[in-house]
């Protein structure tokens, strides 16, 4: 049983990464699709109850926002893995402009999320942490973060 929590500004590659790495194994919980926190909460609860591996594909910029998923998963004895999508706002604004118009995020929203961002740490309850970057060629580079720099 695994809970994967994505964190990163909009247009950093989170949904594409989900499709490439987790589509066949983990259910996707995404507020953009579900539209309300109540629907999100119900789907999270269903995943927990069914012991269904899931990915939370939201920006999750703060410790408080991530805590709702981590605490629920930990209480059900899920392994909790965090992925930080490293992207500067300028890169995200460029990728955002390439999206279909209905999926574009206001530029101010990208910068606002970046300003609120708090780094992921093991002390939040993560069992493993990874940093994800998009290469110049458009591929994902994933690096595991080690505890205490070891």
């Amino acid at each position: 049983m695994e809970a994967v929590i994505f964190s990163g500004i909009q247009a950093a590659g989170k949904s594409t990464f989900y499709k490439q790495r987790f589509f066949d194994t983990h259910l996707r919980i995404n507020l953009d699709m579900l539209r309300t926190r109540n629907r999100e909460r119900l789907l999270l609860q269903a995943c927990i109850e069914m012991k269904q591996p899931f990915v939370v594909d939201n920006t999750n910029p703060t410790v408080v926002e991530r805590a709702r998923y981590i605490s629920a998963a930990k209480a059900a004895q899920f392994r909790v893995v965090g992925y930080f999508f490293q992207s500067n706002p300028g890169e995200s604004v460029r990728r955002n402009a390439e999206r279909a118009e209905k999926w574009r995020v206001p530029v101010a929203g990208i910068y606002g999320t970046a300003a609120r961002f708090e780094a992921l740490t093991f002390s939040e309850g993560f069992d493993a942490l990874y940093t994800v970057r998009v290469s110049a060629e458009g591929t994902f580079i994933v690096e595991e973060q080690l505890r205490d720099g070891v």
Side-chain angles (χ1 to χ4, degrees):
M1 299 179 305
E2 184 175 65
V4 176
I5 315 297
F6 287 174
S7 182
I9 62 177
Q10 300 89 332
K14 296 179 301 295
S15 296
T16 301
F17 188 80
Y18 167 80
K19 290 172 192 167
Q20 289 181 8
R21 303 282 176 104
F22 294 104
F23 181 81
D24 293 329
T25 58
H26 292 62
L27 192 126
R28 180 176 179 231
I29 298 175
N30 178 267
L31 194 55
D32 291 341
M33 292 171 42
L34 296 170
R35 303 271 186 226
T36 70
R37 287 286 181 194
N38 186 53
R39 288 178 180 169
E40 181 191 56
R41 182 186 54 76
L42 290 171
L43 185 54
L44 175 65
Q45 182 179 350
C47 287
I48 298 285
E49 289 175 7
M50 294 184 308
K51 302 191 183 318
Q52 167 65 48
F54 62 90
V55 171
V56 179
D57 178 8
N58 294 331
T59 58
N60 298 313
T62 68
V63 171
V64 169
E65 290 173 83
R66 296 185 293 264
R68 74 175 63 119
Y69 312 112
I70 295 169
S71 62
K74 283 294 196 184
Q77 300 178 355
F78 275 63
R79 179 174 186 264
V80 180
V81 180
Y83 284 83
F84 164 55
F85 288 77
Q86 188 175 41
S87 177
N88 71 50
E91 292 170 342
S92 288
V93 167
R94 181 186 51 76
R95 282 193 294 272
N96 185 56
E98 296 170 357
R99 291 176 164 176
E101 189 171 339
K102 78 177 204 170
W103 297 112
R104 286 188 199 139
V105 176
V107 171
I110 294 172
Y111 283 98
T113 301
R116 294 184 323 118
F117 192 80
E118 298 172 6
L120 283 71
T121 63
F122 285 101
S123 64
E124 293 178 64
F126 289 108
D127 297 300
L129 286 172
Y130 297 88
T131 299
V132 181
R133 293 180 289 114
V134 178
S135 74
E137 297 78 30
T139 60
F140 290 107
I141 301 165
V142 181
E143 297 173 342
E144 184 173 7
Q145 296 179 28
L146 303 176
R147 288 184 187 269
D148 301 323
V150 185

